[in-house]
């Protein structure tokens, strides 16, 4: 999956002949799974039509502060556009627009949006070879780079003037490739291996029956997706669920019982940097699994249970420099119970969810959690989607536990 998948990409088109290539650029970005909006300078419309770009991006293309046709039209909010974007690519970027960006000359919607943008800004210059080498242009590039903007170098080749040299806008494929590589190199969990457990375990009673629980696996799968999105290589050891892991950076290992989960986790733990155990592992299993289906008889049936191994505690006992995170699902004395689990199992962090909180627990798409750290910090959160909880958890591990 591309790092651009799900990203909000704002494309800024300025008035160079290479603007005709932005139709391909929009198409590639959309194919990569990005949501694309386009802002153009008014004269860029001489080189490519807004209709082409709005059709390909499936979004309205903006080029002026208000609509030209409708005098009662709404103001096109450059601040909203600038804040919407996860990244802003300005391509083609002409010498004129680049100079305005460097000086803060906000005389059109594109430059005003640039000045409001909080996201990373990439610019792909397109100009004639002498313009490209002019000291003024070189100074502009340096100034923009000093603002943190990222130069996508122009290519060498035949230019619109007929001259041959440097100054051609990088090809759309090369622009996308450049941006993908740059984004990937900055992902916070790149080169990290993360082990996650999710879902319930099923403990067999006989060939057709088992002891299980209501865990859906959604929390663990959300953590796996979030970690993969942050560049980690993820091993997701999952009990039986109906969920699928979409990201190719997630290696899914299916297990059924606590014993199988124990095996799978221990096979991977030593090579991991972070282990997050969110599975609802059965604490007990039938001491004897009947070979044949148990027939019903008069009276009651007693099944003897024996303890399963505590996977999390076994990792806590052997961990070296890994970060180990557990979950605690409690119904009473929540904080004390969670704190005692954190200590007993030698964890760096425990995520407490209380079944008493509305919006928390099994099955749903939301969760309400409290983080408790090994130095007894207690950090409560509001009800959030499980995806947002996963983000909070990984951000906390990255920023506070310094993985
Ligand atoms: N866990 C585990 N292996 C087990 C049981 C639990 O790895 N056999 C992990 C869970 O994945 C979770 C944490 O331990 O991260 C807490 O699980 P929980 O069942 O709440 O705690 P227990 O220690 O089993 O205590 P109790 O059931 O008595 O609350």
């Amino acid at each position: 999956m591309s790092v651009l998948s799900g990203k909000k990409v704002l494309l800024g088109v300025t008035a160079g002949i290479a603007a005709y290539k932005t139709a391909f650029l929009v198409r590639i970005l959309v194919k990569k799974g990005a949501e694309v909006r386009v802002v153009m300078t008014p004269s860029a419309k001489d080189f490519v039509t807004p209709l082409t770009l709005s059709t390909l991006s499936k979004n309205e293309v903006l080029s002026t502060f208000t609509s030209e046709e409708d005098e009662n039209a709404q103001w096109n909010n450059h601040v909203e556009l600038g804040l919407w974007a996860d990244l802003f690519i300005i391509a083609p970027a002409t010498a004129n627009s680049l100079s305005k960006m460097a000086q803060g000359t906000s005389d059109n919607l594109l430059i005003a949006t640039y000045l409001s943008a909080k996201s990373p800004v990439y610019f792909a210059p397109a100009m004639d070879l002498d313009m490209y080498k002019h000291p003024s242009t070189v100074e502009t590039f340096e100034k923009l780079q000093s603002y943190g903007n990222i130069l996508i170098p122009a290519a060498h080749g035949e230019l619109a003037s007929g001259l041959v040299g440097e100054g051609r806008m990088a090809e759309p494929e090369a622009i996308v490739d450049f941006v993908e590589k740059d984004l990937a190199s900055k992902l916070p969990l790149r080169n990290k291996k993360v082990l996650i457990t999710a879902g319930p375990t099923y403990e067999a009673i006989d060939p057709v029956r088992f002891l299980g629980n209501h865990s859906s696996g959604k929390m663990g799968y959300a953590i796996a997706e979030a970690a993969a999105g942050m560049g980690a290589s993820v091993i997701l050891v999952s009990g039986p669920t109906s969920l699928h892991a979409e990201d190719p950076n997630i290696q899914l290992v299916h297990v059924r019982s606590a014993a199988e989960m124990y095996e799978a986790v221990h096979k991977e733990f030593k090579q991991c940097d972070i282990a997050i155990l969110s599975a609802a592992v059965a604490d007990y299993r039938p001491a004897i699994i009947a070979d044949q289906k148990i027939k019903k008889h008069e009276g009651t049936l007693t099944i003897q249970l024996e303890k399963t191994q505590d996977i999390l505690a076994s990792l806590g006992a052997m961990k070296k420099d890994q970060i180990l995170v557990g979950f605690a699902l409690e119904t009473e004395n929540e904080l004390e119970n969670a704190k005692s689990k954190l200590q007993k199992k030698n964890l760096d962090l425990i995520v407490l969810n209380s079944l008493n909180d509305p919006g928390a627990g099994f099955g749903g798409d939301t969760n309400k959690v409290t983080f408790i750290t090994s130095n007894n910090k207690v950090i409560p959160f509001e009800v959030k989607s499980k995806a947002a909880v996963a983000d909070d958890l990984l951000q906390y591990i990255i920023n506070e536990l310094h993985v």
Side-chain angles (χ1 to χ4, degrees), residues 55-111:
T55 307
L56 291 168
S57 67
K58 300 187 180 72
N59 275 314
E60 187 187 2
V61 170
L62 301 177
S63 58
T64 50
F65 287 98
T66 55
S67 163
E68 283 156 32
E69 289 92 50
D70 179 0
E71 60 194 18
N72 297 317
Q74 275 195 334
W75 178 59
N76 289 326
N77 188 339
H78 57 88
V79 178
E80 181 271 322
L81 256 185
L83 295 180
W84 170 85
D86 293 323
L87 55 133
F88 191 5
I89 305 173
I90 301 175
T94 60
N96 181 41
S97 285
L98 289 170
S99 159
K100 286 186 197 174
M101 284 158 57
Q103 302 306 324
T105 310
S106 157
D107 64 355
N108 65 47
L109 183 69
L110 190 152
I111 308 289

Side-chain angles (χ1 to χ4, degrees), residues 197 258 277-283 308-313 325-330 341 345 350:
T197 66
L277 272 58
S278 71
V281 186
D283 288 328
T308 57
Q309 275 167 301
D310 189 320
I311 305 167
L312 184 58
V325 179
F327 272 68
L329 179 65
E330 304 292 341
K341 276 179 198 174
K345 301 193 189 192
I350 194 153

Side-chain angles (χ1 to χ4, degrees), residues 146-159:
S146 79
Y147 300 159
N149 301 166
I150 302 150
L151 166 70
I152 304 176
H156 188 278
E158 191 179 338
L159 300 160

Side-chain angles (χ1 to χ4, degrees), residues 125-240:
M127 58 197 74
D128 214 56
L129 75 170
D130 293 317
M131 293 172 84
Y132 194 69
K133 287 207 182 101
H134 195 279
S136 150
T137 311
V138 172
E139 205 180 305
T140 297
F141 290 174
E142 283 168 1
K143 202 159 186 186
L144 291 173
Q145 285 173 301
S146 79
Y147 300 159
N149 301 166
I150 302 150
L151 166 70
I152 304 176
H156 188 278
E158 191 179 338
L159 300 160
S161 60
L163 299 172
V164 174
E166 229 178 342
R168 274 167 74 101
M169 184 183 82
E171 291 301 323
E173 291 83 1
I175 292 177
V176 173
D177 198 47
F178 183 100
V179 172
E180 281 184 318
K181 286 203 173 108
D182 186 67
L183 289 175
S185 75
K186 291 172 182 161
L187 289 173
L189 292 178
R190 73 193 171 283
N191 306 326
K192 299 286 177 204
K193 205 160 179 185
V194 182
L195 173 64
I196 295 164
T197 66
T201 62
Y202 287 179
E203 309 302 327
I205 297 170
D206 68 17
V208 294
R209 303 183 180 95
F210 60 83
L211 288 177
N213 61 65
H214 292 297
S215 169
S216 64
K218 284 181 183 172
M219 193 62 246
Y221 277 67
I223 299 168
E225 293 287 346
M230 292 181 187
S233 121
V234 177
I235 295 152
L236 175 58
V237 179
S238 172

